[in-house]
């Protein structure tokens, strides 16, 4: 079935370091891909999305490119801040019938000053 | 910014009690969802709705029930709470369009059953 695999955390970085969080997926057809972020004590917020192969989603300095050949959607940021500390979820939208989101298990990012 | 509200934010309740978690959205979205988030952070879809009077069970079996009498309201009920129901419950909504429509989430209800 459709699934998303994320790298396990926590990912611990110093401020201004480069961030990569790996995400790969398995899906039938051509899913849309998303990154959501969850700050402590809050719900999930959409960070960025890509709806077709080679699309690049970007927001708040974060980027991810939809790579169909490697079935990947890795999240990157050139210089992280303490305020980026959160849990990041990769997700795919199953575009059959109801269009439900399938989430990865989440990766916790901890950024220290 | 999305307008979807969940109450209460935190709830501690004893075993056997009946509880209702409230979820309301003011965006006129047709689709609504309930996700259960376990302590390991993983999210599981437990209920969803296409619109008024439409409810379906999700991927994870749940003893909870939902109703959708009004577009903006999608409450979740547990008739008899148990410690195994301790979790965070997240409500979400999205537009019903032919295009990809992202989910908008509430801040969640953290339920503890003692």
């Amino acid at each position: 079935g459709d699934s998303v695999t994320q790298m396990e955390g926590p990912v611990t970085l110093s401020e201004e370091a480069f961030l990569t969080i790996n995400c790969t997926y398995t899906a039938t057809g051509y899913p849309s891909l998303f990154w959501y972020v969850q700050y402590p004590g809050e719900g999930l917020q959409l960070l960025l999305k890509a709806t077709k192969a080679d699309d690049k989603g970007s927001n708040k300095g974060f980027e991810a490119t939809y790579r169909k050949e490697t079935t990947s959607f890795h999240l990157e940021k050139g210089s992280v801040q303490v305020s980026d500390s959160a849990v990041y979820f990769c997700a795919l939208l199953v575009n059959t019938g109801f269009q439900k989101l399938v989430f990865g298990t989440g990766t916790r990012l901890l950024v220290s000053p | 910014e999305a307008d979807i509200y969940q109450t209460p934010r935190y709830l501690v309740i004893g075993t056997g009690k009946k509880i209702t978690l409230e979820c309301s959205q003011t965006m006129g979205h047709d689709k609504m969802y309930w996700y259960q988030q376990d302590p390991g952070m993983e999210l599981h879809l437990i209920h969803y709705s296409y619109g008024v009077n439409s409810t379906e069970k999700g991927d994870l079996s749940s003893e909870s029930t939902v109703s959708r009498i009004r577009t903006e309201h999608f409450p979740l009920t547990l008739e008899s709470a148990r410690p195994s129901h301790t979790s965070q419950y997240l409500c979400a909504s999205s537009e019903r369009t032919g295009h990809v429509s992202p989910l908008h989430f509430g801040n969640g209800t953290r339920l503890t059953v003692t």
Side-chain angles (χ1 to χ4, degrees):
Chain A
D2 301 301
S3 66
V4 175
T5 302
Q6 284 182 242
M7 62 188 290
E8 287 192 21
V11 173
T12 304
L13 295 173
S14 298
E15 209 165 21
E16 299 183 4
F18 184 86
L19 168 71
T20 300
I21 299 178
N22 290 339
C23 170
T24 57
Y25 68 90
T26 303
T28 53
Y30 303 98
S32 297
L33 301 172
F34 303 82
W35 277 99
Y36 280 82
V37 58
Q38 185 176 31
Y39 297 102
E42 298 184 11
L44 276 70
Q45 300 174 26
L46 178 65
L47 182 59
L48 53 84
K49 69 177 183 182
T51 58
K52 61 183 188 299
D54 299 326
D55 266 2
K56 178 186 281 189
S58 61
N59 186 24
K60 300 180 182 179
F62 291 90
E63 292 183 340
T65 301
Y66 187 163
R67 302 280 188 206
K68 184 168 175 288
E69 63 277 10
T70 54
T71 62
S72 65
F73 192 55
H74 305 321
L75 182 68
E76 297 181 336
K77 187 175 185 183
S79 176
V80 294
Q81 306 301 311
V82 172
S83 57
D84 294 327
S85 297
V87 179
Y88 292 82
F89 291 90
C90 185
L92 67 84
L93 187 68
V94 180
N95 199 14
T96 54
F98 187 70
Q99 285 193 338
K100 60 183 181 181
L101 270 180
V102 175
F103 286 94
T105 52
T107 302
R108 186 178 301 277
L109 170 66
L110 301 169
V111 181
S112 56
Chain B
E1 193 63 37
D3 293 318
I4 181 163
Y5 307 101
Q6 290 186 245
T7 57
R9 286 295 308 276
Y10 303 93
L11 179 61
V12 181
I13 201 161
T15 297
K17 299 292 186 183
K18 177 179 178 179
I19 59 169
T20 296
L21 309 185
E22 302 288 348
C23 176
S24 295
Q25 49 96 5
T26 58
M27 296 167 286
H29 286 171
D30 285 314
K31 297 180 186 177
M32 294 191 75
Y33 314 72
W34 277 102
Y35 281 85
Q36 185 173 338
Q37 186 174 27
D38 62 29
M41 305 182 299
E42 196 161 353
L43 288 144
H44 303 282
L45 180 67
I46 53 174
H47 298 284
Y48 60 95
S49 168
Y50 286 96
V52 171
N53 294 325
S54 153
T55 61
E56 303 286 344
K57 291 207 177 282
D59 301 322
L60 180 70
S61 175
S62 174
E63 292 166 345
S64 59
T65 59
V66 292
S67 63
R68 191 88 183 276
I69 298 171
R70 304 198 311 267
T71 297
E72 62 271 21
H73 197 212
F74 191 41
L76 180 146
T77 298
L78 277 165
E79 290 293 333
S80 179
R82 294 209 299 272
S84 60
H85 296 139
T86 294
S87 190
Q88 168 141 271
Y89 293 85
L90 292 169
C91 181
S93 70
S94 68
E95 291 181 279
R96 183 183 210 156
T97 70
H99 303 288
V100 173
S101 179
L103 271 63
H104 300 273
F105 283 84
N107 283 333
T109 293
R110 186 169 295 282
L111 172 65
T112 303
V113 183
T114 61

